[in-house]
């Protein structure tokens, strides 16, 4: 394993230098200095205690949605509905968060459970459609994203709208329902730890439990799993629920850790970035942590790039993320090709 | 443990609950402490506002691209005007940040030495309020917001002044003495603007009646239908405040002989010309410039800034391609009303 990593290193370096060169070219083309952009990116992601905390804050939702996607993909289910599951999670969490007269001790747990349950229900719809009607989850989960988006738009103008009915947003959630802040002067909240804890939990589940084994077995081959006596339908459905719960929990954590309120256009696309996060991590729950951290750092960094460097429009930041992902995909593709060639040679 | 193996839920749920309970326990202890800690910093800045002018470094957050030929671009033009007319330094604008990142963008902008941050939309209001106390050296201005702090103020357009002027024009132009209003939704800000319009109508034409209808959405077809109904009932001048729906209003006016149109919020002379009398205008760059001057003069926040006729931020703009004629006496009346609005002797919001 270690040997292979060492041997792949030149390939990895090559693809990423090509990516970096492409990026530098794009940045030059819009008239900015690649060096200044890199510096701003670094400063925004790791340059100070505050930016480091921001990177972690950005990481949490990506980590959880990334886990949700990874779990589903491991079971061979292309759940690309993390975005919608994130949103319904945030909606349910807000619904619970703004309740009054909830005993303080259980308010946060209740909020998180509501978020996870809503996310699970949302992807459960796609699960049921798949298991009982054979509907492709790629289609159903994607379409459910749009339903969730419309539902959010309605919620913040309807049932969840603030008491004074001015803006399309909810009231602030109750104080006991918020995550504690971990470092003064920053937005770093305890939900980040919960996200990390979930990564460990999912790793343990996949690696060491019968349920996790069933999930992986179904992912490797439904027929074989069925022949081995694994209840495929139940596993598929349970995986949908778990995957949705993770994304829903991400929504709940954003509400109770970062914004304390729900508003229109709540997600900047965490659920879609999550797919990149999961793929970059090769679908391993533990590798999702550095992968999410990487994308979190990119987001935190790019926020500073935009406000410091003249002539960098927001789309350049998206291009930046895309190039990184493409470089990685190119690397994965080249590696796989070489592997196949070698295996072919041996046989 | 064997039971756990069979039932994943029995394994996940308790562990999450335990974690959450722990986190919540801590949150309660620190929640109140955090709130009180914020206030001394805030009050310190309030007392520190002197009368001397300060150097401006102006940052901007827009909800969309600054090349959108609309809302976000107008804010960018505002920033550029402040740079040109007040000699202020500017920072590159931040376009459409994720709403969960806005607080952090404010922090970073303050960190980078910006003394004045414009956030161009009420969606940034909540984040501005959270951040205000932690960036006491920076003044934050939220377009259309409502939150107030010693260093945070919203800009609100006195749109009633603009619609009052439009009402004066409508009252003077109607031949049937029936005027129509088409709104997107019955929300307070539009109701107030329409009420000012009606006052304007009555001030020139006490005979005229105003009928109001709300579309309920920005649906162009629906807006057209409802406008047709108004026109069929004898209405001959229609003003809208229906955003996209305005196109439907313009279509209906175009199809009706003798009907006239008044545009909303920006120069809409491309709609319903030559039946377009003009538009009431809320001019974002002028409003931003007016606020920047106030901030330069030492104002930091504490109350909303009402951008009105006095700042040339709201006015009525005649459509030069209108086919009919707007009489000189009516134009003189409009100018007279403008003067009264600017001096404050006339206030349609009261």
């Amino acid at each position: 394993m270690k040997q292979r990593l060492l041997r792949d290193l030149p390939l990895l370096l090559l693809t990423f230098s090509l990516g970096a060169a492409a990026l530098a070219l794009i940045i030059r083309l819009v008239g900015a200095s690649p060096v200044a952009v890199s510096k701003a990116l670094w400063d925004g992601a790791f340059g100070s205690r505050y930016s480091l905390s921001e990177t972690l804050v950005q990481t949490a939702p990506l980590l959880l949605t990334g886990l949700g996607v990874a779990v589903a993909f491991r079971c061979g289910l292309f759940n690309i509905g993390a975005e919608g599951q994130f949103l319904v999670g945030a909606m349910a969490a807000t619904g619970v968060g703004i309740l009054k007269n909830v005993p303080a001790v259980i308010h946060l747990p209740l909020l998180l459970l509501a978020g996870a349950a809503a996310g699970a229900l949302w992807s459960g719809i796609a699960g049921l459609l798949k298991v009982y009607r054979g509907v492709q989850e790629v289609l159903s989960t994607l379409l459910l994203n749009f339903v969730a988006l419309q539902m959010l738009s309605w919620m913040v103008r309807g049932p969840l709208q603030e008491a004074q009915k001015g803006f399309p947003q909810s009231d602030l959630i109750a104080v006991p329902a918020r995550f504690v802040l971990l470092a003064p002067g920053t937005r770093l909240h305890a939900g980040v730890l919960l996200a990390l804890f979930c990564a460990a939990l999912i790793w343990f589940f996949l690696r060491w439990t019968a349920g996790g084994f069933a999930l992986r077995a179904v992912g490797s081959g439904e027929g074989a799993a069925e022949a081995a006596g694994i209840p495929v339908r139940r596993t598929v459905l349970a995986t949908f629920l778990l995957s949705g719960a993770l994304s829903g929990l991400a929504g709940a954590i954003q509400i109770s850790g970062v914004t304390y309120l729900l508003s229109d256009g709540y997600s900047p696309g965490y659920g879609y970035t999550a797919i990149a996060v999961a793929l970059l991590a090769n679908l391993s729950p533990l590798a999702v942590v550095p992968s999410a951290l990487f994308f979190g750092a990119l987001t935190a960094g790019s926020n500073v790039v935009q406000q410091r460097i003249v002539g960098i429009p927001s789309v350049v930041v998206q291009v930046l993320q895309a190039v990184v992902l493409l470089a990685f995909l190119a690397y994965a593709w080249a590696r796989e090709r070489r592997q196949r060639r070698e295996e072919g040679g041996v046989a | 443990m064997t039971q756990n193996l069979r039932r994943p839920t029995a394994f996940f749920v308790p562990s999450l609950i335990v974690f959450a309970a722990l986190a919540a326990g801590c949150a309660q202890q620190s929640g109140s402490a955090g709130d009180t800690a914020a206030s001394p910093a805030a009050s310190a800045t309030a007392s520190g506002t002197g009368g001397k002018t300060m150097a401006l470094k102006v940052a901007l957050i827009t909800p969309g691209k600054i090349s959108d030929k609309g809302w976000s671009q107008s804010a960018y033009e505002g920033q550029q005007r402040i740079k040109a007319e007040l000699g202020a330094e500017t920072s590159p604008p931040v376009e459409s940040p994720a709403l969960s990142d806005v607080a952090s963008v404010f922090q970073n902008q303050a960190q980078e030495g910006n003394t004045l941050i414009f956030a161009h939309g009420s969606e940034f209001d909540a984040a501005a309020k959270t951040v205000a106390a932690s960036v006491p050296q920076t003044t934050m201005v939220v377009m259309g917001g409502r939150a107030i702090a010693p260093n945070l103020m919203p800009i609100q357009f006195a749109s009633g002044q603009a619609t009052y002027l439009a009402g004066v024009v409508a009252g003077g132009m109607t031949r049937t003495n029936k005027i129509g209003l088409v709104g997107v939704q019955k929300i307070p800000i539009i109701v107030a603007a329409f009420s000012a319009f009606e006052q304007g109508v009555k001030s020139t034409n006490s005979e005229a009646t105003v009928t109001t209808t709300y579309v309920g959405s920005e649906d162009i077809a629906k807006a057209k239908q409802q406008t047709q109904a108004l026109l069929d009932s004898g209405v001959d001048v229609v003003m809208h405040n229906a955003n996209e729906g305005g196109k439907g209003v313009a279509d209906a006016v175009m199809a009706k002989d003798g009907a006239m149109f008044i545009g909303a919020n920006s120069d809409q002379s491309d709609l319903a010309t030559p039946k377009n009398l003009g538009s009431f205008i809320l001019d974002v760059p002028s409003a931003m410039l007016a606020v920047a001057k106030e901030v330069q003069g030492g104002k930091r926040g504490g109350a909303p800034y009402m951008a009105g006729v006095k700042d040339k931020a709201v006015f009525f703009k005649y459509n030069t391609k209108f086919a009919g004629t707007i009489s000189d006496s009516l134009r003189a009346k409009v100018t007279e009303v403008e003067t009264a609005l600017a001096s404050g002797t006339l206030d349609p919001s009261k």
Side-chain angles (χ1 to χ4, degrees):
Chain A
M1 184 70 202
K2 218 171 209 169
Q3 256 180 343
R4 193 199 288 172
L5 203 70
L6 260 171
R7 213 186 38 184
D8 281 347
L9 203 60
L11 189 63
L12 192 67
L13 285 177
L14 177 74
T15 36
F16 274 85
S17 358
L18 282 178
L23 263 183
L25 188 71
I26 293 168
I27 292 168
R28 277 246 67 99
L29 280 178
V30 298
S33 144
V35 177
V37 170
S38 321
K39 174 154 191 324
L41 200 58
W42 176 263
D43 285 352
F46 304 107
S48 66
R49 179 169 158 276
Y50 181 78
S51 48
L52 200 61
S53 75
E54 273 306 305
T55 294
L56 292 173
V57 169
Q58 298 292 348
T59 301
L62 293 174
L63 175 50
L64 280 168
T65 49
L67 279 174
V69 172
V71 162
F73 281 29
R74 280 293 277 273
C75 190
L77 303 169
F78 293 98
N79 173 11
I80 51 174
E83 182 79 355
Q85 292 142 23
F86 173 93
L87 289 178
V88 293
M91 286 182 243
T94 308
V96 171
I98 57 175
L99 290 178
K100 293 179 176 70
N101 306 323
V102 178
V105 192
I106 61 160
H107 208 161
L108 179 59
L110 214 58
L111 176 153
L112 296 174
L113 272 181
L121 273 178
W122 204 247
S123 75
I125 299 174
L128 288 174
L129 283 171
K130 177 167 180 90
V131 169
Y132 291 106
R133 281 286 175 271
V135 177
Q136 283 297 320
E137 74 278 5
V138 173
L139 210 60
S140 55
T141 52
L142 181 69
L143 293 178
L144 280 167
N145 285 346
F146 296 108
V147 179
L149 206 60
Q150 292 300 322
M151 194 158 97
L152 169 67
S153 185
W154 167 67
M155 279 285 182
V156 293
R157 290 177 175 81
L160 287 180
Q161 195 181 17
E162 56 178 3
Q164 60 183 117
K165 305 278 175 209
F167 303 150
Q169 65 186 31
S170 74
D171 279 320
L172 290 172
I173 60 168
V175 173
R178 299 177 193 176
F179 271 115
V180 60
L181 292 177
L182 297 177
T186 73
R187 303 198 295 162
L188 189 62
H189 56 90
V192 177
L193 297 179
L194 177 58
L196 279 172
F197 178 67
C198 284
L201 213 60
I202 295 298
W203 169 79
F204 184 84
F205 167 71
L206 283 180
R207 184 83 177 76
W208 297 107
T209 69
F213 176 75
L215 189 157
R216 285 183 289 135
V218 171
S220 310
E222 264 186 40
E226 188 137 41
I230 289 171
V232 173
R233 280 184 163 197
R234 222 174 64 192
T235 307
V236 165
L237 208 54
T239 304
F240 266 113
L241 294 181
L242 177 60
S243 166
L246 285 164
S247 295
L249 188 62
I253 284 183
Q254 281 303 90
I255 291 289
S256 74
V258 181
T259 60
Y260 308 143
L261 59 75
L262 184 71
S263 52
D264 209 0
Y266 190 67
S267 171
Y270 292 126
Y272 298 114
T273 312
I275 300 170
V277 168
L279 290 178
L280 189 62
N282 213 1
L283 307 185
S284 145
L286 288 186
V288 165
V289 177
S291 172
L293 192 69
F294 174 70
F295 278 94
L298 264 186
T299 314
S302 57
N303 280 340
V304 171
V305 170
Q306 244 204 102
Q307 70 203 40
R308 197 187 281 176
I309 308 218
V310 183
I312 294 278
S314 56
V315 279
V316 171
V317 170
Q318 290 159 15
V319 170
L320 203 144
Q321 299 187 345
V323 169
V324 168
L325 197 66
L326 284 175
F328 177 76
L329 288 176
Y331 159 71
W333 174 77
R335 189 184 58 182
E336 201 169 300
R337 226 173 84 112
R338 191 170 68 185
Q339 229 165 1
R340 208 174 299 154
R341 210 172 41 221
E342 282 170 5
E343 277 164 19
V346 169
Chain B
M1 195 63 210
T2 41
Q3 213 181 353
N4 285 351
L5 287 179
R6 255 176 275 136
R7 286 207 196 152
T9 38
F11 160 70
F12 283 124
V13 175
S15 31
L16 286 182
I17 291 178
V18 168
F19 185 95
L22 287 174
C26 309
Q28 261 184 288
Q29 286 165 8
S30 66
S32 53
D35 288 349
T36 46
S39 46
S43 51
T45 47
S47 56
T49 52
K52 59 179 183 289
T53 59
M54 56 184 281
L56 288 183
K57 184 174 175 189
V58 184
L60 172 67
I61 303 176
T62 58
K65 307 247 172 295
I66 54 166
S67 54
D68 68 355
K69 298 203 187 303
W71 180 244
S72 293
Q73 185 164 341
S74 68
Y76 181 62
E77 283 160 11
Q79 192 196 25
Q80 293 307 307
R81 239 176 104 182
I82 293 167
K83 183 181 182 176
E85 296 192 21
L86 302 183
E89 226 185 306
T90 56
S91 287
V94 174
E95 298 170 322
S96 57
L99 288 177
S100 51
D101 293 351
V102 176
S104 146
V105 172
F106 279 133
Q107 285 281 4
N108 284 327
Q109 285 174 327
Q111 195 72 41
E112 302 265 326
N114 292 290
T115 50
L116 173 59
I117 305 175
F118 283 97
H120 196 56
S122 57
E123 57 266 59
F124 304 128
D125 200 53
K129 194 176 180 189
T130 6
V131 171
S134 61
V135 292
Q137 302 307 316
T138 305
T139 302
M140 297 196 289
V141 177
V142 178
M143 182 61 77
R146 64 177 177 224
I148 286 167
N151 58 332
L152 167 64
M153 65 176 136
I155 296 181
Q156 282 158 9
F157 276 105
S159 49
Q161 297 184 350
T163 51
Y164 188 97
L165 288 167
V168 172
V169 176
M173 292 303 291
T174 180
R175 282 179 294 251
T176 60
N177 281 344
K178 285 183 177 173
I179 293 165
L181 286 170
V182 181
V184 57
Q185 241 150 14
K186 196 170 179 176
I187 52 174
I189 186 164
I190 292 186
V191 171
F194 281 180
S195 141
F197 176 86
E198 206 167 335
Q199 291 174 47
V201 169
K202 299 279 187 205
S203 75
T204 39
N205 185 343
S206 54
E207 309 268 289
T209 56
V210 178
T211 315
T212 307
T213 174
Y214 292 97
V215 185
S217 69
E218 298 191 17
D219 190 323
I220 294 175
K222 225 170 139 188
K224 183 175 175 179
Q225 260 178 12
Q226 286 179 235
T227 310
Q228 274 164 348
L230 281 176
L231 294 170
D232 289 344
S233 73
V235 164
D236 67 344
V237 181
V238 185
M239 185 183 84
H240 80 95
N241 201 339
N243 305 342
E244 277 293 294
K247 289 177 184 159
V249 177
D251 283 351
V253 168
M254 280 305 276
K256 180 88 177 178
D257 282 339
M260 287 167 273
F261 174 86
I262 295 176
N265 300 321
S266 61
D267 185 353
Q268 294 196 318
S269 51
D270 55 329
L271 290 180
T273 295
K275 297 186 171 185
N276 181 327
L277 290 165
S279 309
F280 76 83
I281 305 224
L282 308 182
D283 189 53
V284 168
S286 302
M288 286 171 67
L289 182 67
V291 168
K293 280 180 185 160
E294 291 276 321
V295 172
Q296 204 173 33
K299 187 176 158 72
R300 297 289 313 279
Y305 186 84
M306 293 302 288
V309 170
K310 68 177 188 316
D311 307 309
K312 299 195 175 13
V314 310
F315 51 94
F316 184 83
K317 185 169 187 216
Y318 297 104
N319 176 23
T320 50
K321 291 180 189 131
F322 176 60
T325 43
I326 299 171
S327 68
D328 286 344
S329 63
L330 183 57
R331 285 175 194 258
K333 165 92 185 168
V334 169
T335 314
E336 186 186 311
V337 170
E338 257 178 352
T339 317
L341 287 169
S343 68
T345 50
L346 175 63
D347 184 357
S349 68
K350 277 175 188 159

